[in-house]
Amino acid sequence: MIEFIKVSKYFGSQEILNDVSFMISSGDRVGIVGPNGMGKSTIFRLIADEMSTDGGTISLPKNCRLGYLRQELSGTDDHLGLLEYCESGFPEVVRIQHRLEELEEKLHSGLDIDRNSVLRQLGELQTKFEDLHGYDVRNKAEASLSALGFASADFGKKLKAFSGGWQMRAELVRATVANPEILLMDEPSNYLDLPAVEWLRRFMRDFHGTLVLISHDRYLLNSLTNVTLEVANAQVAKYRGNYDYYCRERVARVEERMAAYKNQERKRQQAERVINKFRAKSTKAALVQSLIKKVDKMEKIIVPNSAKSVGKIRMGTPTRTGNEVARLEDVSFTYDNDKWIFKNVDFSINRGDKVALVGLNGMGKTTLLKILAGSLKPTTGKMTHGHKVVSGYQSQEMTDTMDETLSVFQTIRQESADVSEQKIRGILGGFGFSGEMVEKKVSVLSGGEKIRLAFARLLVNPPNFLLLDEPTTHLDIAARETLEQALHDFEGTVCMVSHDVEFVRNAATTVIAMTPPSVTQYPGNYDYYREKMNEKESDTVSSQGSTIKKVSEKKLSKRERAEKVQEFSRKKREIERPMKKAEKAIADLEAEQAELLEKLGPDNHNVDHAAVNKRLTEIQDKLNFANRTWEACMIEMDELEQENK
């Protein structure tokens, strides 16, 4: 379906892709991962033919429908109405619709026309329109917009009347409304709140085309993909599994490559010792030359660098507070004395709690966070901090408040004139800034580095009550994992807003859901919150009209639980055996395929082309069978894991 053959791409002197080859088969669900700035979005732009390669070729099926959700809005069609903009994602249907309207006007115009010819054109166009499911486009767009939080009254509003986040939701609908054969999604969960991310996961699981997804959201990657492409160090490595599989397999590959590298280095050093020992002896000249050629022919084994972001976050030990950190009593808030954001909110946060505020955008999560931080006063009611509470609030715009002309060190010094240079350097070291890095200007830092610097600035005078608004924005997966581990280990109290499901799942111990006009507190983690929410939902919850049966978990005795675990392990082994066999077959067949393709090159003249092509056909058939076997096993494994969650 999509094939990169020895593709290279440069931006000036920066090497983005170097002689990269990989294939995405029809129906694959591919996750593209890797550190920021390594070329993930560049791959999408190359596929969409928005930029050209500097070497190599890219192959796609002719006339295939391509859906592309970009990180940034184009702004070229923002004069259109919301619904009209979403429908424009299927231009062929829009074109036919306009032509049908023109022909119908002709029929009713009373002009002297060839009515038979017009009726024939109408019939042909209506048939084509029906084949493209044109009559379903509007219904599908409206259903998707509603599921993403738009009201029906919004459908006629101009796209430019909405904020950037809501425009990105419209862009998501536009990219999917045409039922594309290939769907490219670049960070689709950006600007989505948690309920919308959950909807996106359900929606994309029902997509039957080829899905290629760039995301830092581990929840989406694990839920939606069965192939992972790692983009790092100008190379692309392929893994036949979701993100968790990739993490495990990558470690194994690095270890295997390291072992091969050490073995090769041992042989090289041994050969070089022999060469140096006998180089001057004429009687050994032939042996020495043979060894030199052997060493020169050794293919250099490159051990891949870590794809993880550099830098740790060490938060230190905060001052101990009283048991109750914050209490809200009958708190209500309005910005305009007309529309109330929330009313009569009552809850408390205790020492050591890691609280996640969840809910749809616009329900007041950030407002509530600011009230808890003390930077915003309730309209009515009372917010009280506990004994010795020192709050530290990091807003979504915190990185934008840093002076870009200052260095990393100066940024921290500005906040702490009475702190020693040694202590500042120690704090910066804990956030991944050491040595010469502390002299880098803020203007040249990456998004992830700015987030780490913002945390360092926040913690130079350590608070014991952290309030974080979308702290994972601009962070790659490794940086998110580092941050969630730091928050997990932090001995203080945390209240956060985040749309990253895995981040919330791993970092939060309590959930407060925005349930207008008030809030509801769930004394458990995100999975507990979802379980309780599922119990409240109807048996037919689906934005696309499908039904989802509500499942109620039964409590199992210890014996029953043990039997269930044993049965799960047995079934898992039964699936893993053919899956591993298929993986090995795929690797062997792809290696043989590459060797045979090399033989067909223009420099090889003494080749039996008929025999090679026959074998290539056989290999492709076997590859197709092995891929189908592997995919069936992965689907079966996913279903088994879902059943046993």
Side-chain angles (χ1 to χ4, degrees):
M1 171 75 61
I2 303 173
E3 187 173 12
F4 276 50
I5 306 169
K6 297 183 179 298
V7 171
S8 295
K9 183 64 186 177
Y10 301 87
F11 292 145
S13 61
Q14 185 182 5
E15 183 181 60
I16 303 299
L17 301 173
N18 179 20
D19 210 23
V20 163
S21 297
F22 63 85
M23 179 182 288
I24 296 174
S25 300
S26 178
D28 276 351
R29 305 176 71 80
V30 181
I32 300 184
V33 302
N36 289 336
M38 288 291 180
K40 300 188 294 295
S41 295
T42 299
I43 288 176
F44 271 18
R45 296 185 65 190
L46 290 169
I47 292 172
D49 202 25
E50 292 183 353
M51 63 169 56
S52 58
T53 68
D54 293 319
T57 58
I58 299 171
S59 172
L60 275 82
K62 288 184 178 179
N63 302 319
C64 73
R65 288 197 304 275
L66 183 71
Y68 185 4
L69 175 70
R70 296 163 177 81
Q71 284 194 56
E72 296 86 18
L73 293 162
S74 64
T76 55
D77 297 320
D78 61 1
H79 63 283
L80 297 176
L82 174 63
L83 190 57
E84 185 184 5
Y85 177 76
C86 294
E87 291 175 325
S88 71
F90 206 159
E92 190 174 3
V93 163
V94 174
R95 181 182 60 78
I96 293 174
Q97 196 166 16
H98 288 163
R99 182 57 181 157
L100 285 171
E101 291 170 357
E102 290 173 1
L103 291 172
E104 287 173 353
E105 284 181 10
K106 275 189 176 182
L107 284 176
H108 298 93
S109 66
L111 298 174
D112 185 16
I113 58 172
D114 186 344
R115 292 182 63 83
N116 290 332
S117 173
V118 173
L119 288 170
R120 186 178 65 254
Q121 291 179 59
L122 267 173
E124 291 172 353
L125 286 173
Q126 283 173 343
T127 299
K128 190 171 184 181
F129 193 73
E130 289 171 2
D131 289 342
L132 293 171
H133 302 285
Y135 294 108
D136 298 331
V137 170
R138 173 153 295 191
N139 290 337
K140 183 177 180 181
E142 288 178 345
S144 298
L145 287 169
S146 297
L148 286 170
F150 288 97
S152 57
D154 294 331
F155 295 168
K157 294 179 181 177
K158 299 294 185 185
L159 181 68
K160 61 185 178 183
F162 296 93
S163 67
W166 288 98
Q167 288 186 38
M168 284 303 296
R169 293 180 186 222
E171 191 74 28
L172 173 60
V173 176
R174 185 177 186 272
T176 56
V177 76
N179 291 320
E181 296 162 83
I182 300 174
L183 180 56
L184 309 178
M185 305 193 80
D186 195 348
E187 294 292 354
S189 60
N190 280 359
Y191 304 104
L192 297 186
D193 47 46
L194 286 177
V197 172
E198 295 279 8
W199 173 86
L200 177 64
R201 180 191 65 83
R202 291 194 299 270
F203 177 78
M204 294 313 304
R205 281 182 73 90
D206 294 333
F207 176 69
H208 297 298
T210 301
L211 171 66
V212 191
L213 169 68
I214 296 173
S215 182
H216 291 144
D217 192 316
R218 291 154 290 170
Y219 178 64
L220 290 181
L221 290 170
N222 280 322
S223 301
L224 298 175
T225 66
N226 57 22
V227 174
T228 300
L229 297 179
E230 179 196 66
V231 183
N233 307 310
Q235 294 297 309
V236 175
K238 187 174 184 178
Y239 296 80
R240 294 188 172 275
N242 63 11
Y243 179 74
D244 282 348
Y245 173 88
Y246 149 75
C247 290
R248 296 191 301 269
E249 183 65 16
R250 190 180 195 282
V251 171
R253 286 193 192 183
V254 170
E255 290 175 349
E256 182 181 339
R257 189 66 64 88
M258 179 60 77
Y261 172 79
K262 288 180 178 177
N263 185 48
Q264 185 187 71
E265 283 301 296
R266 187 167 57 251
K267 290 180 179 179
R268 187 192 302 277
Q269 291 170 8
Q270 185 181 42
E272 288 175 349
R273 283 196 299 271
V274 173
I275 291 169
N276 292 332
K277 184 175 181 179
F278 296 106
R279 188 187 295 274
K281 296 188 178 182
S282 58
T283 57
K284 304 292 185 181
L287 172 63
V288 168
Q289 288 303 313
S290 175
L291 281 174
I292 290 173
K293 289 179 181 179
K294 186 176 180 180
V295 170
D296 290 341
K297 287 181 179 180
M298 282 185 180
E299 184 179 349
K300 188 175 181 182
I301 296 174
I302 300 174
V303 179
N305 295 328
S306 171
K308 300 286 186 180
S309 297
V310 177
K312 295 182 179 180
I313 297 178
R314 295 195 296 268
M315 292 189 171
T317 303
T319 304
R320 187 176 177 84
T321 67
N323 185 56
E324 190 173 75
V325 173
R327 171 180 288 276
L328 272 68
E329 299 175 83
D330 201 28
V331 167
S332 300
F333 188 85
T334 176
Y335 285 101
D336 57 9
N337 293 317
D338 179 26
K339 182 181 177 183
W340 290 88
I341 307 300
F342 42 75
K343 283 185 172 184
N344 311 120
V345 170
D346 286 285
F347 68 83
S348 62
I349 296 175
N350 294 328
R351 183 180 64 243
D353 283 349
K354 309 293 170 62
V355 181
L357 302 180
V358 305
L360 294 169
N361 286 342
M363 284 190 172
K365 299 188 297 294
T366 295
T367 299
L368 186 55
L369 203 65
K370 288 180 178 179
I371 288 174
L372 286 166
S375 61
L376 197 63
K377 293 189 178 300
T379 306
T380 64
K382 182 180 181 182
M383 192 286 296
T384 308
H385 280 151
H387 182 58
K388 291 189 176 179
V389 169
V390 178
S391 61
Y393 174 49
Q394 176 160 303
S395 67
Q396 294 185 49
E397 301 79 26
M398 194 167 188
T399 58
D400 298 331
T401 65
M402 292 188 288
D403 187 338
E404 300 248 318
T405 65
L406 296 181
S407 69
V408 168
F409 181 85
Q410 289 169 337
T411 300
I412 305 301
R413 167 60 77 196
Q414 192 178 51
E415 297 292 319
S416 51
D418 56 341
V419 177
S420 69
E421 178 177 339
Q422 183 179 0
K423 184 175 179 180
I424 291 176
R425 288 184 177 273
I427 291 169
L428 287 171
F431 285 86
F433 299 100
S434 58
E436 295 180 357
M437 286 191 70
V438 302
E439 302 304 327
K440 288 174 70 172
K441 297 291 185 184
V442 172
S443 59
V444 302
L445 297 180
S446 68
E449 287 173 331
K450 286 183 178 179
I451 292 289
R452 294 208 309 272
L453 181 57
F455 268 103
R457 184 174 69 167
L458 179 67
L459 297 173
V460 67
N461 298 304
N464 46 33
F465 184 28
L466 275 177
L467 300 111
L468 311 174
D469 196 355
E470 297 292 1
T472 60
T473 303
H474 303 303
L475 296 185
D476 58 30
I477 292 176
R480 293 179 187 211
E481 291 172 341
T482 300
L483 176 57
E484 71 187 31
Q485 184 61 50
L487 293 178
H488 180 273
D489 296 339
F490 180 55
E491 295 179 16
T493 306
V494 181
C495 189
M496 71 191 82
V497 173
S498 176
H499 66 258
D500 185 324
V501 173
E502 283 299 313
F503 182 80
V504 172
R505 175 178 281 158
N506 294 327
T509 58
T510 298
V511 171
I512 294 177
M514 311 304 293
T515 51
S518 188
V519 303
T520 304
Q521 191 166 11
Y522 294 86
N525 62 13
Y526 183 76
D527 289 333
Y528 173 82
Y529 156 72
R530 284 304 310 159
E531 180 184 337
K532 292 300 180 185
M533 290 297 292
N534 288 336
E535 291 175 1
K536 294 180 180 179
E537 290 173 358
S538 69
D539 292 339
T540 55
V541 179
S542 174
S543 57
Q544 299 301 310
S546 63
T547 61
I548 299 175
K549 291 183 180 179
K550 186 169 60 178
V551 179
S552 59
E553 297 276 330
K554 293 184 178 180
K555 292 185 178 179
L556 300 173
S557 66
K558 289 183 179 180
R559 181 176 177 181
E560 288 173 322
R561 286 184 184 277
E563 289 173 353
K564 186 177 180 182
V565 170
Q566 289 173 0
E567 181 66 7
F568 171 75
S569 299
R570 183 186 65 78
K571 289 181 178 179
K572 186 177 179 182
R573 288 194 298 272
E574 289 177 357
I575 298 171
E576 284 178 337
R577 280 194 291 270
M579 185 167 67
K580 289 179 178 178
K581 185 177 179 181
E583 287 175 356
K584 185 178 185 307
I586 289 167
D588 293 341
L589 288 166
E590 286 182 340
E592 185 181 356
Q593 187 182 56
E595 291 176 4
L596 291 174
L597 289 171
E598 190 74 27
K599 286 183 180 180
L600 292 176
D603 298 331
N604 297 329
H605 303 293
N606 300 321
V607 177
D608 186 347
H609 284 74
V612 171
N613 283 319
K614 181 181 178 182
R615 179 56 184 159
L616 282 171
T617 301
E618 292 171 354
I619 288 173
Q620 190 58 55
D621 289 340
K622 290 181 179 180
L623 265 175
N624 291 339
F625 177 80
N627 274 313
R628 288 195 298 270
T629 301
W630 183 89
E631 289 171 4
C633 289
M634 280 296 295
I635 291 170
E636 191 175 356
M637 181 70 78
D638 181 67
E639 290 173 350
L640 179 64
E641 290 175 346
Q642 292 297 322
E643 290 171 2
N644 286 270
K645 275 189 174 181

